[in-house]
Amino acid sequence: MIEHPGIDRWIANFQARDPTLSSDEERALRSVFSEVVEFGDDHDIVHMHDRMTQSHLLLEGWAFRYIALGDGRRQIVAIHVPGDFVDLHSFPLQVMDHSVATFSRCRVALAPHRQLREVTQTHPHLSRLFWLSTLIDAAVHRQWLAGGQRSALERAAHLLCELYVRLETVGLAKDFTFAMPMSQIEFADALSISPVHTNRVLQALRNEGAASWQQREIRILDWQRLAALAEFDPTYLNLFPSPR
Amino acid sequence: MIEHPGIDRWIANFQARDPTLSSDEERALRSVFSEVVEFGDDHDIVHMHDRMTQSHLLLEGWAFRYIALGDGRRQIVAIHVPGDFVDLHSFPLQVMDHSVATFSRCRVALAPHRQLREVTQTHPHLSRLFWLSTLIDAAVHRQWLAGGQRSALERAAHLLCELYVRLETVGLAKDFTFAMPMSQIEFADALSISPVHTNRVLQALRNEGAASWQQREIRILDWQRLAALAEFDPTYLNLFPSPR
DNA sequence: CGCTGCGTTGAGACTACTCAATATCCGTGG
DNA sequence: CCACGGATATTGAGTAGTCTCAACGCAGCG
């Protein structure tokens, strides 16, 4: 049995979502993990086209998923913070359609698919909760897609709102401030804009008094303004308790 | 027990994916549908924020999912063709984070969540297959996100490739031709570009000899060229048998 | 102390946008 | 059968947003 506060928090999150969770089910959830491993920063932990036999629960550090195009362009399609299952979808899907890498040093709990299979076989209810968690990822994908209708400024504002809310629920942000391990270049690859324009957009956000990014720290100066700019509505994140 | 060739095809698709499917499981799959209903074209069948008690399997016609922004902008986040479960994710998620509407007249099989719950409770294996099907939707979302790194022309080419391959596997496209119920305005909302630019991009595709869109019909003039332009790789669609 | 990666600024170019006008298609009613 | 209206498609012209290239500052690190 693996122990880590990140696993406890992950289970607590399930309990928040479903208060009827039995202690047997809690034990079953805990049983899917075989081991805790560590990765350095800027390190690929899963490659596109990999045939997967285990999934990764992020315990500490930030990770991301990306799709690389032939000529060096790459799109970051998801950002993950502690408490996120970065590639649970690889359990039913088996083959990766993108890569997963770290922004910072990360600690990760491994969930062998054999164990996941056993739990989902014996606990249909937990199976639905796992399913749910991958569907929230998909809901986030859709919000990012909606960014196609937003300007670069609005997209940046939206992503900062999303990150703040998600980090706050796992205790990694408060007082409208959080530590930001991403570089502006990486932020650019998430927003689908150039690094240069990213820098200018961040300056605009600061000039508007909405948010500032300095020394790897994000400070949301005016939540109302930032959220309004982004038309941010956190319901898609399915968080409990619902914030703000 | 509801009968419709679209349901048969949907089950056949599951069988192709997993040849070990038993006749009991096949019966169970069939049992989730309660009724077949019809919708006119350009009709919302599910609204954002709806609390769902049933899901919709598309049997005939095209549908799409979209997120509307406050000021009239809207992003189409998914396009669905016959054989697709347009909102299966609403079973675990319960509340919609976007809307679903039709491009053309549609026939749809209803799957009450009560039935889905029963089948997933008794057939963990089928549960995983349902899960899989929502994960393929998510994989498509990710490819669309990767479009953020592509030019408008490349995005258009990619979407045409995707639509052709998906339609071909359900017998609605052949000889590099298919009927296109979408307007260019709707296509624009899927590509995140303006309708005017969409028109110009389509002209460019035609001038390149890659594809033509005329009279609600798409004709792929040079698959190699179109796929190369789009860097199209169909593996993310998880189709069986794998095409091309 | 020099290297390297990141952030910042400026200038010019290009992609895609808006607005506006015209053309075409299609369904409807006369 | 034709006239009409409305939606869709197409074209042109000027503009806004974002990009590329290039330079420079700064910090961290070997």
Side-chain angles (χ1 to χ4, degrees):
Chain A
M1 188 68 69
I2 308 299
E3 297 279 351
H4 189 283
I7 295 179
D8 301 338
R9 192 170 51 211
W10 175 72
I11 289 177
N13 189 31
F14 271 55
Q15 282 169 330
R17 183 157 278 128
D18 178 0
T20 71
L21 217 62
S22 71
S23 60
D24 169 58
E25 286 173 324
E26 193 184 317
R27 244 192 321 279
L29 282 176
R30 210 174 278 277
S31 76
V32 303
F33 301 106
S34 66
E35 175 180 9
V36 171
V37 299
E38 217 179 302
F39 295 102
D41 64 326
D42 198 25
H43 178 271
D44 273 28
I45 63 181
V46 175
H47 293 91
M48 180 150 178
H49 296 138
D50 277 359
R51 173 163 287 274
M52 304 294 291
T53 59
Q54 57 184 7
S55 291
H56 303 76
L57 173 68
L58 190 53
L59 301 172
E60 301 168 40
W62 289 33
F64 66 104
R65 310 199 247 157
Y66 68 95
I67 292 178
L69 270 64
D71 57 351
R73 292 178 287 180
R74 81 171 174 181
Q75 175 68 43
I76 292 177
V77 297
I79 294 175
H80 289 295
V81 302
D84 291 350
F85 235 124
V86 298
D87 57 354
L88 182 53
H89 60 282
S90 74
F91 168 50
L93 225 36
Q94 296 187 60
V95 175
M96 295 295 290
D97 56 272
H98 58 273
S99 304
V100 182
T102 61
F103 283 132
S104 55
R105 288 176 86 247
C106 285
R107 207 175 296 264
V108 158
L110 301 183
H113 289 176
R114 193 171 350 100
Q115 321 275 68
L116 285 169
R117 172 170 288 264
E118 191 170 319
V119 168
T120 56
Q121 205 81 27
T122 53
H123 296 78
H125 180 55
L126 296 182
S127 195
R128 268 195 304 276
L129 288 177
F130 283 133
W131 186 1
L132 179 66
S133 122
T134 62
L135 292 177
I136 294 173
D137 286 346
V140 174
H141 289 337
R142 285 190 287 275
Q143 276 304 319
W144 287 33
L145 279 173
Q149 299 298 323
R150 295 184 164 104
S151 69
L153 188 76
E154 292 167 331
R155 277 209 295 286
H158 196 274
L159 183 48
L160 290 180
C161 286
E162 179 185 312
L163 289 174
Y164 180 74
V165 169
R166 288 170 59 193
L167 288 165
E168 196 194 29
T169 62
V170 291
L172 291 173
K174 60 175 183 173
D175 302 330
F176 297 111
T177 302
F178 60 89
M180 168 54 107
M182 298 173 67
S183 70
Q184 291 185 9
I185 295 174
E186 293 161 336
F187 204 65
D189 282 341
L191 296 178
S192 315
I193 57 180
S194 72
V196 172
H197 197 53
T198 300
N199 185 275
R200 293 184 167 126
V201 161
L202 291 172
Q203 287 177 46
L205 281 177
R206 179 134 53 89
N207 291 340
E208 294 236 353
S212 80
W213 170 325
Q214 269 163 343
Q215 263 90 268
R216 307 254 145 178
E217 183 185 83
I218 303 288
R219 195 175 289 271
I220 294 173
L221 305 171
D222 183 341
W223 174 266
Q224 295 298 333
R225 185 184 292 248
L226 192 67
L229 208 61
E231 274 195 48
F232 180 71
D233 170 3
T235 35
Y236 71 98
L237 293 171
N238 272 66
L239 293 173
F240 293 82
S242 69
R244 228 145 306 291
Chain B
M1 188 67 67
I2 307 301
E3 296 278 350
H4 189 284
I7 295 180
D8 301 337
R9 192 171 49 211
W10 175 72
I11 290 178
N13 189 32
F14 271 56
Q15 283 169 330
R17 183 156 279 126
D18 178 1
T20 70
L21 218 63
S22 71
S23 60
D24 169 59
E25 287 172 325
E26 191 184 317
R27 246 192 322 279
L29 282 176
R30 211 174 278 276
S31 76
V32 303
F33 301 106
S34 66
E35 176 180 8
V36 171
V37 299
E38 216 179 303
F39 295 103
D41 65 327
D42 198 26
H43 177 270
D44 274 25
I45 63 181
V46 175
H47 293 91
M48 181 150 177
H49 296 138
D50 276 359
R51 173 163 286 274
M52 305 294 291
T53 59
Q54 58 185 8
S55 291
H56 304 76
L57 173 68
L58 191 53
L59 300 171
E60 301 168 39
W62 289 33
F64 65 105
R65 311 198 246 156
Y66 69 95
I67 292 178
L69 270 64
D71 57 351
R73 292 177 286 181
R74 82 173 172 179
Q75 175 68 43
I76 291 177
V77 297
I79 294 175
H80 289 295
V81 301
D84 291 349
F85 235 124
V86 298
D87 56 355
L88 182 53
H89 59 283
S90 74
F91 167 50
L93 225 35
Q94 296 187 66
V95 175
M96 295 296 289
D97 56 271
H98 58 271
S99 304
V100 182
T102 62
F103 282 133
S104 56
R105 287 178 84 248
C106 285
R107 208 176 295 264
V108 159
L110 301 183
H113 288 177
R114 193 171 349 100
Q115 321 273 69
L116 284 170
R117 171 170 288 265
E118 191 169 320
V119 169
T120 56
Q121 205 80 28
T122 54
H123 296 77
H125 180 57
L126 295 182
S127 194
R128 268 195 305 276
L129 288 176
F130 283 133
W131 186 0
L132 180 66
S133 123
T134 62
L135 291 177
I136 293 172
D137 286 346
V140 174
H141 289 337
R142 284 190 288 274
Q143 276 302 319
W144 286 33
L145 279 172
Q149 299 298 325
R150 294 184 164 103
S151 69
L153 187 77
E154 293 167 330
R155 278 211 294 286
H158 197 274
L159 183 48
L160 290 180
C161 286
E162 178 185 313
L163 289 174
Y164 181 73
V165 169
R166 288 170 59 193
L167 288 166
E168 196 194 30
T169 63
V170 292
L172 291 173
K174 59 174 183 174
D175 303 330
F176 296 110
T177 302
F178 60 91
M180 169 53 109
M182 299 173 68
S183 71
Q184 290 184 10
I185 296 174
E186 292 160 335
F187 204 65
D189 283 341
L191 296 178
S192 316
I193 56 180
S194 72
V196 172
H197 196 54
T198 300
N199 185 275
R200 293 183 167 128
V201 161
L202 291 172
Q203 288 177 43
L205 281 178
R206 178 133 52 88
N207 291 340
E208 294 236 354
S212 80
W213 169 326
Q214 270 162 342
Q215 262 91 269
R216 306 255 144 178
E217 184 185 81
I218 303 288
R219 195 175 289 271
I220 294 174
L221 306 172
D222 182 342
W223 174 266
Q224 294 299 333
R225 184 182 294 248
L226 192 67
L229 208 63
E231 274 194 48
F232 180 71
D233 170 3
T235 36
Y236 71 97
L237 293 170
N238 272 65
L239 294 173
F240 294 81
S242 69
R244 223 146 314 289

